[in-house]
Amino acid sequence: MWDLFVSSFPSLMDGMLMTLRITVVALLAASVIGFIIGLMNISHFKALRAAAIAYIDLIRGTPLIVQAFFIYFGLPSVLDFRITALTAGTIALSLNAGAYMAEIFRAGIQSVDKGQMEAARSLGLPYRRAMLKVIMPQAIQRMIPAILNQFVISLKDTSILSAIGIRELTQSGEIIIAGNYKSFEIWGMVGLMYFVVITMLSYVSRRIERYYRL
């Protein structure tokens, strides 16, 4: 068992680093998408709200694996271009997480008392500056636990991207098993690595949440 662990760990660690890399990049992109879509969702313009709702419903209403297949196989066949599995998977995860981040931003902004905006506007601040200087700092403080939770969810969702050939942690385990047929041991190692990373993230999330409650 120890020899199996020693021989498999470097490959599994490479897969875990790829998993973390995809998750971080996707969540950064999802934060930008979520912020824009979240603001559109609370806009006074009906067209912007309708577009935001359509995007959120479309992404949340379809599985991530279908979105990954559509971007990796569907679009290139129609538009006649090539895209790597890593790029397609990162885009799919970014768009998927972006829909959930949009709801986090919307809920966070709307959780701030309306009187804060009214007070800022009464002091002469334009709407945009009042949003950035007054509303967003309070909203982000409340959104941090939900954002960290989405990071955990997105990290686990990267395992789905093994279906399009990305060598993240799950596919690294599959490749090792194909060579030694040690399914029980390898999947145990893969599960343990996910568990350790997710437990650490959950601990950080609880600490941050406890800090802001003080």
Side-chain angles (χ1 to χ4, degrees), residues 45-108:
F45 298 100
K46 291 183 178 180
L48 292 180
R49 289 203 309 272
I53 293 171
Y55 168 78
I56 293 170
D57 288 346
L58 176 63
I59 296 298
R60 295 176 64 176
T62 54
L64 174 59
I65 191 169
V66 173
Q67 297 162 14
F69 282 156
F70 179 77
I71 294 172
Y72 187 52
F73 296 113
L75 288 179
S77 66
V78 172
L79 302 179
D80 193 25
F81 72 94
R82 300 185 66 180
I83 187 172
T84 65
L86 179 59
T87 302
T90 304
I91 292 173
L93 190 61
S94 300
L95 293 174
N96 184 273
Y100 294 92
M101 290 291 289
E103 288 295 274
I104 292 172
F105 276 103
R106 179 193 60 78

Side-chain angles (χ1 to χ4, degrees), residues 64-170:
L64 174 59
I65 191 169
V66 173
Q67 297 162 14
F69 282 156
F70 179 77
I71 294 172
Y72 187 52
F73 296 113
L75 288 179
S77 66
V78 172
L79 302 179
D80 193 25
F81 72 94
R82 300 185 66 180
I83 187 172
T84 65
L86 179 59
T87 302
T90 304
I91 292 173
L93 190 61
S94 300
L95 293 174
N96 184 273
Y100 294 92
M101 290 291 289
E103 288 295 274
I104 292 172
F105 276 103
R106 179 193 60 78
I109 292 171
Q110 291 182 335
S111 70
V112 179
D113 189 89
K114 292 182 179 179
Q116 297 287 320
M117 175 61 78
E118 294 172 358
R121 295 301 300 275
S122 67
L123 293 174
L125 288 177
Y127 178 83
R128 182 181 300 178
R129 183 171 294 181
M131 179 64 72
L132 293 176
K133 298 291 186 179
V134 179
I135 304 300
M136 287 307 299
Q138 299 179 65
I140 289 175
Q141 178 177 317
R142 303 177 186 188
M143 290 187 291
I144 287 175
I147 292 173
L148 290 175
N149 184 61
Q150 183 58 48
F151 187 94
V152 171
I153 294 172
S154 296
L155 189 146
K156 291 188 288 186
D157 283 347
T158 57
S159 61
I160 297 173
L161 302 179
S162 63
I164 61 174
I166 297 178
R167 192 167 179 175
E168 40 67 67
L169 181 56
T170 299

Side-chain angles (χ1 to χ4, degrees), residues 175-209:
I175 292 171
I176 295 171
I177 292 169
N180 59 23
Y181 304 103
K182 301 288 186 179
S183 299
F184 179 82
E185 294 87 346
I186 298 302
W187 286 129
M189 293 178 194
V190 170
L192 181 61
M193 293 179 75
Y194 275 119
F195 175 77
V196 169
V197 173
I198 290 171
T199 300
M200 292 171 61
L201 290 172
S202 299
Y203 174 77
V204 171
S205 177
R206 287 193 297 269
R207 293 284 294 182
I208 293 175
E209 188 173 2

